[in-house]
Amino acid sequence: MTQNHVSGMETSAISVLKRAVELDHSDRFQESLVCYQEGIQLLIDAMKAVKDDSKRGHYREKIKSYMDRAEQIKAHVNQLKEDGKYHEQIRIAEDATGYSYESLFKPYMSSLLTEVWVQDPYIRHTHQLYNFLRYCEMLLKAPCKVKKIHLFTSHDEADSSQQSSALAELKESLSAQGVTLDLQYSSTIHDREIRFDNGWIIKIGRGLDYFKRPKGRFSIGYCDYDLRQCQETNVDIFHTKHTKTL
């Protein structure tokens, strides 16, 4: 392995671990834990590639320090989950970027995740339907085996045919991927909530529709939603040992 490659791994590790510390200091423990784990693995890979004993010793010290902190966070999070007291809030500022569905939900999608409940009254208009499609695609790409997705939404009174045909097409497409889409409608729902069967509950003030309209079809952020500006909203994360259906 070349020196440049080792240097690249070290740079990546520093970046990820810096983010872990920032999240740690902001009490965003589950997210920080994921970053610590990724950063530690990068440091381990870098240590294996170097031959200098002093450099390896330096890596070992850093790895131990970060592993100790990761274990503390893991124990703290597990205790909060056991007591049913886990609550974390993420504030997405106006025009903020870096909050794609992948970035926001990744820390909570463990390998145990198989079923998802989405309650959002506004999966109606074209861009909202695309948001839900994009969310389903994210679940399919995640390191878990989601087999069933429940959508609880409201009918589009102005143009129910577009909504119905779009969701029917998505249901058929998901079925071809081995995933069942269960659709339910209500004229009275208002709250927005996403539940995972591994116990995580994510409540986004604006539901899945928190992205701003791109400035143009060839503007940065049109395709990559980590680069898309967001509308201000709060995300509240809870954990329960007993996942209830919506």
Side-chain angles (χ1 to χ4, degrees), residues 102 109 134-144:
E102 289 84 355
M109 295 190 297
R134 190 169 285 107
Y135 186 77
C136 291
E137 290 175 336
M138 181 271 298
L139 291 173
L140 289 175
K141 290 168 60 180
C144 53

Side-chain angles (χ1 to χ4, degrees), residues 11-180:
T11 300
S12 296
I14 291 170
S15 176
V16 173
L17 289 166
K18 180 181 178 182
R19 179 61 175 159
V21 172
E22 291 173 351
L23 292 166
D24 189 351
H25 289 167
S26 300
D27 294 339
R28 291 165 62 176
F29 296 122
Q30 184 65 24
E31 291 175 276
S32 71
L33 183 58
V34 172
C35 288
Y36 275 125
Q37 291 168 338
E38 291 180 358
I40 289 167
Q41 187 58 55
L42 286 168
L43 284 182
I44 291 173
D45 293 341
M47 183 183 70
K48 289 178 179 178
V50 298
K51 294 183 173 63
D52 184 87
D53 287 340
S54 63
K55 188 75 170 176
R56 290 172 70 91
H58 172 72
Y59 278 134
R60 285 194 191 95
E61 289 179 11
K62 288 291 185 183
I63 290 167
K64 184 180 184 306
S65 174
Y66 287 123
M67 284 185 74
D68 287 346
R69 180 53 186 159
E71 286 300 319
Q72 291 173 355
I73 292 174
K74 189 174 182 179
H76 178 62
V77 168
N78 285 341
Q79 188 60 56
L80 289 174
K81 287 160 68 173
E82 182 67 25
D83 296 341
K85 295 179 179 178
Y86 189 95
H87 175 228
E88 176 184 338
Q89 185 175 84
I90 301 169
R91 179 180 176 273
I92 299 178
E94 185 76 7
D95 294 329
T97 57
Y99 291 98
S100 68
Y101 297 143
E102 289 84 355
S103 297
L104 188 60
F105 287 91
K106 179 182 177 181
Y108 314 102
M109 295 190 297
S110 67
S111 59
L112 300 176
L113 179 62
T114 62
E115 194 165 2
V116 177
W117 291 264
V118 178
Q119 176 174 303
D120 190 327
Y122 298 106
I123 307 295
R124 304 175 181 176
H125 304 307
T126 301
H127 75 281
Q128 295 166 342
L129 291 161
Y130 274 121
N131 283 342
F132 183 62
L133 167 60
R134 190 169 285 107
Y135 186 77
C136 291
E137 290 175 336
M138 181 271 298
L139 291 173
L140 289 175
K141 290 168 60 180
C144 53
K145 300 294 183 183
V146 172
K147 293 299 181 185
K148 194 165 188 177
I149 302 170
H150 304 264
L151 174 62
F152 192 41
T153 189
S154 59
H155 275 296
D156 183 357
E157 301 299 335
D159 186 7
S160 60
S161 61
Q162 176 188 247
Q163 180 192 37
S164 298
S165 62
L167 291 175
E169 182 178 340
L170 176 55
K171 182 173 183 174
E172 182 178 349
S173 183
L174 282 168
S175 179
Q177 298 288 329
V179 179
T180 300

